[in-house]
Amino acid sequence: MAKLAFLLSVFHATLISGLPAREQKREPDPFGGRAITISSGLDVTTSYSSAPLSSLQTATATLSPSLSGSILTGLPSGGNSANPLPTAPVSTPLGSLAPIGTTLAPGTTSPAGAAASNIFVPMASDAPPQQISTRDDHPVKKLGILDKGGPIETNKFYANFFLGSQTNSVWTHPYSLAWAKGHGNTYGMAVTHVERSQFAWDSGTPPRYFIGPIGLQHIVFSAEELSKSTTLSTESLTAFSVYANLAPSADATPLISIPCVQGMGFVTALYNKAKPLLSSGTFFRTLKYVGQLNGVTYKYQIQLEDSSEWLLYATPVASLGAPPFTLKDSATIVGPADFIGIIQVAKNPANTTGEKVFDSSAGAFATNATISGSVDGSSGSYTIAWGKDGIANQTLLMFALPHQVESFDSNTAAALTDISLVTTTKGYARAIAANKMTMVEPNLPSTVGFAPWIPASNGGNGGSENNVLNSAAIAAVNSAGALELNEDINSQTRLDSMYYSGKALAKFAGIVYTLQTMTKNSNLAAAGLIKLKDAFNVFVNNTQPLPLVYDSQWKGVVSSGTYKNGDSGLDFGNAYYNDHHFHYGYFVWTAAVIGYLDPNWLGEGTNKAWVNMLVRDYANPSTSDPYFPFQRSFDWVHGHSWAKGLFESGDGKDQESTSEDTFATYALKMWGKISGDANLEARGSLQLAVQARSLRNYFLLSSDNKVQPSQFIPNKVTGILFENKVDHTTYFGANPEYIQGIHMIPLNPSSAYTRPASFVKEEWDVYFSNGRADNVTGGWKGILYANLALFDPTTAYNFFSNPNFDLGVLDGGASRTWYLAFSAAMAGA
């Protein structure tokens, strides 16, 4: 591999530091091919003559430092501009669907069984079903990716490293990194940390957006040997980490490798026989040599012209003594020639106390991370453990986000330090001195099923389903269901969009379930299920207008439409891996309903394999699957998914619809239950609990939210949350019903779990009370009133049961049948 792999130990480091000069030997060249390894057997070849010339070096800036950066107030392009509500009109059926003479015999909704001790186990490793053809000509080529042909993560935090110009920032939180590529007269990797005082704010009240500046260069890792021909490559691309390598030319060995791991406490650069150049667009004010730590690491203090305090740690390999760093001028620190070793920087917000914590971890760095998890009934936990390199007995320093800190187990909580640094869009991250962290979720949605779900009335954990309706509601639901099932299901579902097709299929699945289970109208449900299965089989057989194809380059299942016309935004950018959890979640949930109502369907043809293919595409639980990457969409560090795929973005990854994110996870839980995959059911439950916690902290802004900036809280939702920006808008318009409503759809049993009634009421009072919801037109009006059922189900039911109800307020993914049943069941509580 091209990354610099350090295998150090304190014992070895102490030993080589103590060698007298006469014992120094000529160093063998350890760098052959792509495999660059510095082992504990590397001979000492260099002895620095003394400590740095002066313990304190100062520089006077002759130019003004760059403190403001640039701000991207616009929304990026990339397949997200379409309205999520289908615009094709739904034709009025000619009468009601007639019941048939047979009834359904649904299967069980009991748990699928006992999950494994670690629920992150492979689902499958077989190829997609044969009706899915393979293509190797994806329009986005792998740029600088050093891989062995395996699945590549498309939606993770580091994608800007291999997309477009390769110069847009990557956020590890709390730091960001960007390849300078000549910006600031350097070709190194820029490290930045932005304070809230530097954010740009909209002028409104409340402000529409807040944004972190980009383009700042607090400290840049570079080398004298890097110039215009420098190339950036990436390797070891995992769900949590990547190595970014800088080489002087495309065919040269990398001189700098930077292991980028989410939450890393230091930014670490591994140098391979290069002369370090550290630069700063903010400008260096002072550089102070402090002394030696742990027998091998040397500490320096840096103050920038913005008065921020940074720490620099150098751990040399194959050399003796303190490596000299010279403050050449206010923009440049020069290191020793042919340096082999580790250079780390960290921003220190905690003065002397913080320095002691950083000192205790210096020389060690995270290389990657793995996740494990377990579920037992209504409680679960998950552990993120980091791979470590560098000084063996130093404990890692890592940052945790607010929702993680909130759910730490006792051992992890004990590792918390006094160090906190603000992130751009996730509040203040707290540093922990630990090699792993464990989070506990004590309120899993274990009782959430297909029926409307009501949280515990005492405000405690848990809740219960309610599928019992009174006689008036039964009559209304039966009437609406018979009419809606007589619609042309084929024309509403056989579309050139996986998203719109999936929404329509889920709509009809909800109707059939409601008639079977909530009104006990099995003969009518059986008639509807025949039509639903026929419509679903179009997709299993891959005979829809734009069939799916398997992309053998990035490894995933995508719509074929973009291959035909070159439109990267077709179907919201599906071919570029945008929104796969949104799109495929509707199909997975529909399949769970069909499999519940007709258990025999699960064993027919490739039905199960086809649905599992979609699950593996957006939520594959294993790194050993050769056909799909691990957890393409969901980010187990941030606690939610990222919707943006292979599109370069100045503000990083983003997500707009938290409700479709959670629905996609709810679909996993239900498909696991119905298909007999206990681990999938458990993962779905745990993931949904993590999402509920993450949403409460970052997206759904109750008045008591302490994470997001206080002036933004009155917006009630974030709108679009990027890694570097929160913008209270949508990609398809700025109407309040769009911005708030995109976080409501689709109304489903898990909505009451992820959208607390107290929050829903606050939001309603701010935007839609006092008749304002009645001024909304089209499908968004129906969405608002359905959402109202989460805290005022009686009013919602009265709206949908009105004899003069306007069917035009139902969007193509929603039914009057389900809205009636849901609001009636919630009111019945």
Side-chain angles (χ1 to χ4, degrees):
M1 295 184 298
K3 63 178 177 291
L4 307 178
F6 283 80
L7 304 176
L8 302 175
S9 70
V10 169
F11 171 77
H12 169 66
T14 304
L15 180 64
I16 63 173
S17 296
L19 285 176
R22 66 179 182 273
E23 294 295 332
Q24 296 176 19
K25 301 178 182 179
R26 180 174 178 80
E27 176 194 358
D29 183 5
F31 309 112
R34 288 180 57 202
I36 300 173
T37 302
I38 300 177
S39 73
S40 58
L42 200 62
D43 292 324
V44 175
T45 61
T46 303
S47 179
Y48 301 120
S49 60
S50 65
L53 299 178
S54 171
S55 62
L56 178 64
Q57 303 175 59
T58 62
T60 301
T62 57
L63 299 174
S64 298
S66 175
L67 302 177
S68 58
S70 58
I71 302 296
L72 302 177
T73 58
L75 297 178
S77 60
N80 295 292
S81 60
N83 193 307
L85 305 192
T87 56
V90 176
S91 59
T92 303
L94 299 176
S96 300
L97 181 67
I100 60 176
T102 60
T103 59
L104 299 177
T108 180
T109 56
S110 299
S117 57
N118 177 19
I119 57 178
F120 290 91
V121 294
M123 282 184 64
S125 59
D126 54 329
Q130 61 181 2
Q131 63 267 33
I132 308 297
S133 62
T134 297
R135 297 193 64 145
D136 63 0
D137 57 341
H138 193 276
V140 178
K141 306 307 177 186
K142 296 178 181 178
L143 182 58
I145 296 177
L146 306 176
D147 70 294
K148 299 179 180 179
I152 299 294
E153 299 284 358
T154 55
N155 294 50
K156 298 307 180 190
F157 69 99
Y158 50 76
N160 277 336
F161 278 156
F162 57 70
L163 293 174
S165 67
Q166 296 183 277
T167 60
N168 275 306
S169 298
V170 161
W171 282 266
T172 61
H173 295 287
Y175 300 109
S176 65
L177 297 90
W179 182 28
K181 203 178 183 180
H183 174 62
N185 298 315
T186 177
Y187 293 86
M189 186 69 72
V191 179
T192 302
H193 177 263
V194 174
E195 300 288 352
R196 275 189 175 171
S197 60
Q198 297 173 283
F199 287 4
W201 290 86
D202 175 47
S203 59
T205 305
R208 194 198 87 189
Y209 59 74
F210 64 88
I211 308 170
I214 59 175
L216 294 174
Q217 297 181 334
H218 286 127
I219 295 179
V220 183
F221 286 117
S222 190
E224 188 177 75
E225 295 84 355
L226 298 181
S227 60
K228 288 184 178 180
S229 59
T230 298
T231 61
L232 168 65
S233 63
T234 52
E235 66 173 311
S236 299
L237 298 84
T238 78
F240 303 96
S241 62
V242 69
Y243 272 81
N245 306 321
L246 294 175
S249 62
D251 57 351
T253 297
L255 297 181
I256 304 174
S257 282
I258 299 177
C260 303
V261 182
Q262 288 176 293
M264 58 190 185
F266 299 92
V267 183
T268 300
L270 313 179
Y271 276 78
N272 168 25
K273 293 197 292 188
K275 185 173 185 177
L277 291 182
L278 305 182
S279 60
S280 175
T282 308
F283 293 165
F284 300 112
R285 182 180 293 166
T286 62
L287 171 66
K288 180 180 180 180
Y289 172 66
V290 179
Q292 187 178 25
L293 307 172
N294 62 43
V296 66
T297 298
Y298 297 87
K299 176 184 174 182
Y300 305 77
Q301 295 170 332
I302 294 173
Q303 186 180 68
L304 300 182
E305 284 294 343
D306 64 358
S307 296
S308 62
E309 304 285 345
W310 293 70
L311 300 170
L312 184 153
Y313 299 93
T315 305
V317 176
S319 59
L320 299 174
F325 287 90
T326 302
L327 185 56
K328 177 182 178 183
D329 53 46
S330 63
T332 312
I333 294 174
V334 180
D338 295 323
F339 181 75
I340 302 174
I342 308 168
I343 301 177
Q344 298 174 292
V345 297
K347 187 175 184 178
N348 177 26
N351 299 319
T352 305
T353 303
E355 283 199 33
K356 292 179 180 178
V357 175
F358 285 114
D359 291 351
S360 67
S361 294
F365 57 94
T367 58
N368 52 44
T370 57
I371 187 169
S372 58
S374 63
V375 167
D376 183 7
S378 61
S379 65
S381 67
Y382 60 108
T383 297
I384 295 175
W386 296 287
K388 186 177 73 170
D389 216 329
I391 311 274
N393 67 347
Q394 296 280 82
T395 302
L396 292 174
L397 189 71
M398 304 295 292
F399 281 94
L401 296 174
H403 77 282
Q404 296 171 324
V405 174
E406 188 178 80
S407 57
F408 276 168
D409 73 353
S410 58
N411 288 336
T412 311
L416 277 167
T417 72
D418 293 332
I419 299 171
S420 65
L421 285 173
V422 74
T423 70
T424 45
T425 61
K426 295 287 168 62
Y428 282 83
R430 295 278 305 278
I432 59 171
N435 295 327
K436 65 179 181 179
M437 62 179 176
T438 297
M439 284 65 63
V440 177
E441 290 296 343
N443 184 30
L444 300 189
S446 55
T447 56
V448 174
F450 288 118
W453 184 83
I454 303 159
S457 59
N458 61 3
N461 291 347
S464 59
E465 291 185 291
N466 181 29
N467 58 15
V468 178
L469 306 178
N470 62 34
S471 58
I474 290 174
V477 171
N478 276 329
S479 176
L483 281 170
E484 290 181 310
L485 284 182
N486 208 33
E487 294 172 5
D488 187 345
I489 296 180
N490 183 66
S491 68
Q492 292 185 48
T493 59
R494 193 192 292 252
L495 306 175
D496 60 359
S497 163
M498 289 297 289
Y499 178 65
Y500 293 143
S501 296
K503 284 170 65 79
L505 286 166
K507 158 189 162 179
F508 290 109
I511 296 171
V512 175
Y513 168 82
T514 300
L515 295 174
Q516 170 64 34
T517 305
M518 300 184 72
T519 68
K520 307 299 190 284
N521 195 340
S522 189
N523 299 101
L524 181 56
L529 184 60
I530 292 173
K531 298 179 67 177
L532 176 64
K533 288 196 292 186
D534 286 343
F536 197 87
N537 285 344
V538 168
F539 294 88
V540 174
N541 295 330
N542 211 30
T543 55
Q544 65 270 33
L546 295 177
L548 294 176
V549 297
Y550 179 74
D551 162 30
S552 63
Q553 292 301 301
W554 297 94
K555 303 289 192 297
V557 177
V558 299
S559 170
S560 59
T562 296
Y563 289 90
K564 296 180 179 181
N565 65 12
D567 179 5
S568 63
L570 189 67
D571 201 7
F572 302 85
N574 179 290
Y576 279 49
Y577 293 96
N578 274 11
D579 298 356
H580 277 203
H581 55 313
F582 297 160
H583 298 193
Y584 300 159
Y586 286 104
F587 288 88
V588 173
W589 185 79
T590 299
V593 173
I594 295 174
Y596 164 63
L597 297 175
D598 180 9
N600 291 329
W601 180 85
L602 295 169
E604 295 173 358
T606 59
N607 290 336
K608 189 173 180 180
W610 187 86
V611 178
N612 280 341
M613 173 189 73
L614 299 186
V615 172
R616 289 163 66 194
D617 180 87
Y618 78 87
N620 171 38
S622 171
T623 58
S624 65
D625 190 328
Y627 291 96
F628 300 95
F630 173 82
Q631 297 277 179
R632 182 190 308 282
S633 299
F634 192 71
D635 188 322
W636 279 95
V637 170
H638 286 263
H640 63 84
S641 299
W642 298 111
K644 186 176 293 294
L646 296 175
F647 291 96
E648 185 179 25
S649 175
D651 286 312
K653 297 300 184 185
D654 68 80
Q655 180 159 267
E656 184 175 56
S657 178
T658 57
S659 48
E660 287 180 301
D661 184 11
T662 54
F663 179 76
T665 302
Y666 164 64
L668 298 175
K669 164 184 163 62
M670 298 311 294
W671 175 246
K673 179 189 290 287
I674 299 305
S675 67
D677 188 336
N679 293 311
L680 176 57
E681 182 182 9
R683 284 194 307 276
S685 287
L686 180 60
Q687 183 172 314
L688 198 57
V690 175
Q691 283 172 307
R693 186 180 298 277
S694 177
L695 265 55
R696 186 179 68 247
N697 277 279
Y698 313 125
F699 291 89
L700 308 182
L701 308 178
S702 297
S703 57
D704 60 353
N705 184 286
K706 304 300 182 185
V707 174
Q708 298 293 20
S710 59
Q711 61 266 51
F712 195 83
I713 301 302
N715 284 309
K716 307 321 296 177
V717 299
T718 51
I720 310 172
L721 185 142
F722 296 79
E723 292 183 273
N724 189 54
K725 173 169 64 180
V726 171
D727 198 341
H728 190 247
T729 188
T730 73
Y731 278 105
F732 54 91
N735 291 9
E737 64 271 22
Y738 300 169
I739 303 169
Q740 310 302 128
I742 195 63
H743 294 273
M744 302 175 185
I745 59 173
L747 188 78
N748 67 88
S750 71
S751 297
Y753 178 79
T754 59
R755 291 177 57 81
S758 58
F759 162 77
V760 175
K761 184 179 187 305
E762 283 187 25
E763 181 185 44
W764 179 270
D765 289 344
V766 170
Y767 289 101
F768 306 116
S769 62
N770 300 320
R772 287 174 290 174
D774 295 321
N775 295 326
V776 175
T777 59
W780 291 105
K781 185 173 184 177
I783 290 167
L784 297 181
Y785 270 98
N787 174 73
L788 179 63
L790 295 175
F791 85 90
D792 186 0
T794 299
T795 300
Y797 178 80
N798 290 339
F799 174 81
F800 291 111
S801 63
N802 189 318
N804 299 316
F805 180 75
D806 177 13
L807 294 174
V809 304
L810 297 173
D811 78 272
S815 72
R816 188 185 185 193
T817 304
W818 172 247
Y819 283 170
L820 281 166
F822 185 88
S823 55
M826 299 298 283

